[in-house]
């Protein structure tokens, strides 16, 4: 019995330590194989941060109101060295965009749509009345150190041979929001193409895509 007690005591102590950890703390695995205790705290209702035991930033997320009642959440994880490890953007609980970085700051993996409410290589159809003005708001995922660009124009069969009479327009950006205004005086179908790009100025990496909008005017 004494031998069994010596084996069980460390396990009991470990379980007690885990159960006594505050709910705002989490044991995390570090890239070098070690572990650390991260402490989380809320800043108001929208910002959540997590810090390593040495005070360095481990996690930060920011929630904001999105389109059509959605909640947009930007979440970032950091290496113990302070470099960005992961960037992700969610609509409610659905992942729409992500990037992983190496400890040296290079983009290791990425996926999702820069235009977070639209899927790349997809055509969306809107129905409008003649002379009705409709603002097409576009929201982007913009990781740190990235420059976002959005360009819109009439769809053409061959982009390389786009005529001067149908120029592309570089849209203004404010934070992660862009957009363009449409209004058509004549009934018919009108097609627009939207190009987006994200240029990471530190990692020397460019990600881009496009979507189409068809406007049926009656």
């Amino acid at each position: 019995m004494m031998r069994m007690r010596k084996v069980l005591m460390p396990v009991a102590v470990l379980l007690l330590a885990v159960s006594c950890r505050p709910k705002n703390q989490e044991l995390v695995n570090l890239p070098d194989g070690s572990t650390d205790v991260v402490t989380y705290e809320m800043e108001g209702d929208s910002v959540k941060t997590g810090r390593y035991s040495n005070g360095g930033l481990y996690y930060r997320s920011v929630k904001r109101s999105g389109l059509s009642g959605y909640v947009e959440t930007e979440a970032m994880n950091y290496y113990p060295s302070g470099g960005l490890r992961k960037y992700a953007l969610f609509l409610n609980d659905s992942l729409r965009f992500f990037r992983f970085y190496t400890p040296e700051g290079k983009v290791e993996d990425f996926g999702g749509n820069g235009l977070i409410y639209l899927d790349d290589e997809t055509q969306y159809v809107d129905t409008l009345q003649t002379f009705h003005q409709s603002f097409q708001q576009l929201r982007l995922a913009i990781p740190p150190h990235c420059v976002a660009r959005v360009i819109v124009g009439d769809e053409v069969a061959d982009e390389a041979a786009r005529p001067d009479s149908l120029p592309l327009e570089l849209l203004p950006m404010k934070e992660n929001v862009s957009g363009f205004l449409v209004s058509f005086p004549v009934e018919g179908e009108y097609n627009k193409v939207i190009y987006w790009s994200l240029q990471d100025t530190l990692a020397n990496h460019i990600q881009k895509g496009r979507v189409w909008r068809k406007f049926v005017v009656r």
Side-chain angles (χ1 to χ4, degrees), residues 9-132:
M9 278 295 288
V11 177
V13 172
L14 176 61
L15 291 175
L16 180 61
V18 172
S19 62
C20 291
R21 183 175 297 130
K23 292 183 179 180
N24 67 332
Q25 289 187 342
E26 176 187 13
L27 186 67
V28 299
N29 296 316
L30 303 184
D32 62 3
S34 63
T35 59
D36 194 9
V37 175
V38 170
T39 302
Y40 293 92
E41 63 179 12
M42 293 295 300
E43 301 174 16
D45 296 328
S46 60
V47 180
K48 182 179 181 180
T49 58
R51 295 190 176 277
Y52 290 104
S53 58
N54 64 4
L57 190 62
Y58 166 78
Y59 173 86
R60 178 178 172 85
S61 68
V62 179
K63 291 185 178 181
R64 57 177 177 253
S65 298
L67 300 178
S68 303
Y70 279 97
V71 175
E72 300 173 7
T73 303
E74 280 188 311
M76 288 161 280
N77 286 86
Y78 295 85
Y79 287 103
S81 61
L84 185 62
R85 184 178 184 183
K86 178 184 177 182
Y87 171 92
L89 194 143
F90 299 83
L91 291 182
N92 292 346
D93 295 325
S94 177
L95 178 64
R96 292 294 294 170
F97 183 93
F98 69 89
R99 276 190 178 184
F100 286 94
Y101 298 82
T102 67
E104 296 74 30
K106 300 296 183 181
V107 177
E108 184 176 38
D109 192 14
F110 63 92
N113 304 280
L115 297 174
I116 55 178
Y117 288 87
L118 304 174
D119 293 324
D120 279 347
E121 301 298 323
T122 302
Q123 183 183 70
Y124 295 84
V125 180
D126 290 334
T127 301
L128 303 175
Q129 294 181 338
T130 54
F131 294 102
H132 174 74

Side-chain angles (χ1 to χ4, degrees), residues 148-161:
R149 288 165 54 94
V150 182
I151 299 173
V152 65
D154 293 320
E155 182 184 3
V156 296
D158 183 3
E159 189 61 65

